[in-house]
Amino acid sequence: MSLIQVKDVMKIYQSGGEQVRALDGVNLEIREGDFTALMGPSGSGKSTLLTVMGALNPPSEGKVIIDDIDVYQLAVERRADFRSNYIGFVFQQFQLISYLTAVENVMLPLAILRYSQKEQLDLANSVLEKVGLAQKRNRLPSQLSGGEQERVAIARAIVNQPPIVFADEPTGSLDTKTGEEIMGLFQSLNNEGLTIVMVTHNEENLNYVKHAVSVRDGVVDTERRTEVLGGHNS
Ligand code: ADP
Ligand code: ADP
């Protein structure tokens, strides 16, 4: 079933008097349970497409429909509520709060949603366990490796159980082995039903995904669906 539909999306940025056409007529469908990689050269529009799909960045033209909701027809505040319920984001630089421990970082979205202190702690501990970081829950981000910080960022993105996670270059700053472990983690979350859309430059990551979309000059250039067998392509 179609979970996200991108319809005739254009995005034009104004940049110092110049117009930059970042997306130039994008049509794309993400199905429920997809694990999608957005690939393409730097400047081709991948991050813009991710934020437009993520209800963060209104298109200049066209629409984005998620679970039958036309997201940019929602008023700004309702769109923010929609985002917190439907979408988790994993940013490239993790954006963890440096003076909060791992578990406190993961509790934060729940605190904003006014969950009780006990629910915050229980849910945060259970997702930290799921991402393999239970032992290090009381460390500050500076006391964690890059891969571990990434796991905290993933835990924070999924703690209130959104159906969709968007990730921008999640393995970009990690060494090969750590990157593979993180992709394995995303794959197991996808196997549990999470729909994932990620921007990546790394061709190796295509081994983990079900749907590869290549973006070029603001349009979808090629798109293919792959059968992922038993966790790994061989
Ligand atoms: P990618 O993620 O593939 O590198 P981006 O979506 O970041 O591509 O950028 C696509 C184009 O839009 C580039 O030319 C970029 O410079 C431009 N762009 C992106 N964000 C902005 C912005 N906030 N203001 C102006 N131009 C932007
Ligand atoms: P990436 O290449 O990893 O997608 P960028 O360095 O292109 O990231 O963009 C980082 C941030 O800067 C983004 O928030 C993007 O929207 C913004 N940005 C990119 N290009 C421009 C631009 N030409 N003018 C203003 N902001 C931009």
Side-chain angles (χ1 to χ4, degrees):
M1 199 197 115
S2 169
L3 183 57
I4 306 174
Q5 290 168 275
V6 178
K7 293 192 170 173
D8 301 321
V9 161
M10 307 266 252
K11 180 70 189 186
I12 296 168
Y13 291 110
Q14 304 293 337
S15 181
E18 300 264 312
Q19 290 201 337
V20 179
R21 192 177 285 262
L23 297 176
D24 195 11
V26 172
N27 287 285
L28 184 64
E29 181 190 329
I30 307 294
R31 299 178 191 164
E32 202 173 335
D34 254 341
F35 187 177
T36 300
L38 301 180
M39 312 277 296
S42 192
S44 58
K46 305 179 297 295
S47 300
T48 299
L49 179 55
L50 197 74
T51 55
V52 169
M53 281 199 284
L56 280 170
N57 187 8
S60 311
E61 279 181 46
K63 54 183 152 184
V64 174
I65 297 174
I66 301 180
D67 203 10
D68 287 331
I69 297 161
D70 189 340
V71 300
Y72 293 104
Q73 292 289 69
L74 298 174
V76 171
E77 280 180 21
R78 296 214 31 226
R79 177 146 40 93
D81 288 341
F82 172 85
R83 254 196 326 267
S84 13
N85 289 315
Y86 270 82
I87 302 170
F89 291 94
V90 180
F91 298 101
Q92 197 170 1
Q93 311 297 337
F94 315 138
Q95 302 190 2
L96 301 176
I97 311 274
S98 62
Y99 54 84
L100 296 180
T101 64
V103 69
E104 288 166 346
N105 267 282
V106 177
M107 288 162 69
L108 207 53
L110 302 178
I112 291 165
L113 294 170
R114 298 181 180 280
Y115 281 58
S116 75
Q117 189 76 16
K118 178 166 179 351
E119 284 172 311
Q120 292 176 33
L121 201 55
D122 289 350
L123 285 166
N125 279 327
S126 85
V127 288
L128 280 171
E129 191 144 330
K130 182 180 281 209
V131 303
L133 218 63
Q135 308 295 325
K136 298 184 177 172
R137 77 183 116 216
N138 292 320
R139 295 206 188 172
L140 293 170
S142 60
Q143 299 168 318
L144 296 170
S145 69
E148 289 166 345
Q149 291 180 41
E150 176 87 51
R151 287 172 191 270
V152 178
I154 294 169
R156 183 182 55 184
I158 62 173
V159 71
N160 67 322
Q161 299 175 294
I164 308 167
V165 162
F166 289 101
D168 199 347
E169 292 269 9
T171 63
S173 64
L174 305 176
D175 63 77
T176 306
K177 179 166 170 294
T178 309
E180 285 172 358
E181 288 167 3
I182 294 295
M183 289 305 292
L185 173 60
F186 275 115
Q187 194 169 49
S188 68
L189 296 171
N190 176 249
N191 287 338
E192 291 174 22
L194 185 69
T195 300
I196 301 169
V197 182
M198 91 174 30
V199 167
T200 180
H201 275 110
N202 189 344
E203 297 273 341
E204 301 278 304
N205 288 348
L206 290 180
N207 291 329
Y208 296 84
V209 305
K210 296 173 177 168
H211 180 209
V213 175
S214 123
V215 179
R216 181 176 291 273
D217 298 333
V219 296
V220 172
D221 185 29
T222 60
E223 191 182 349
R224 90 191 144 85
R225 291 189 175 273
T226 47
E227 209 51 49
V228 179
L229 299 171
H232 248 327
N233 271 348
S234 51

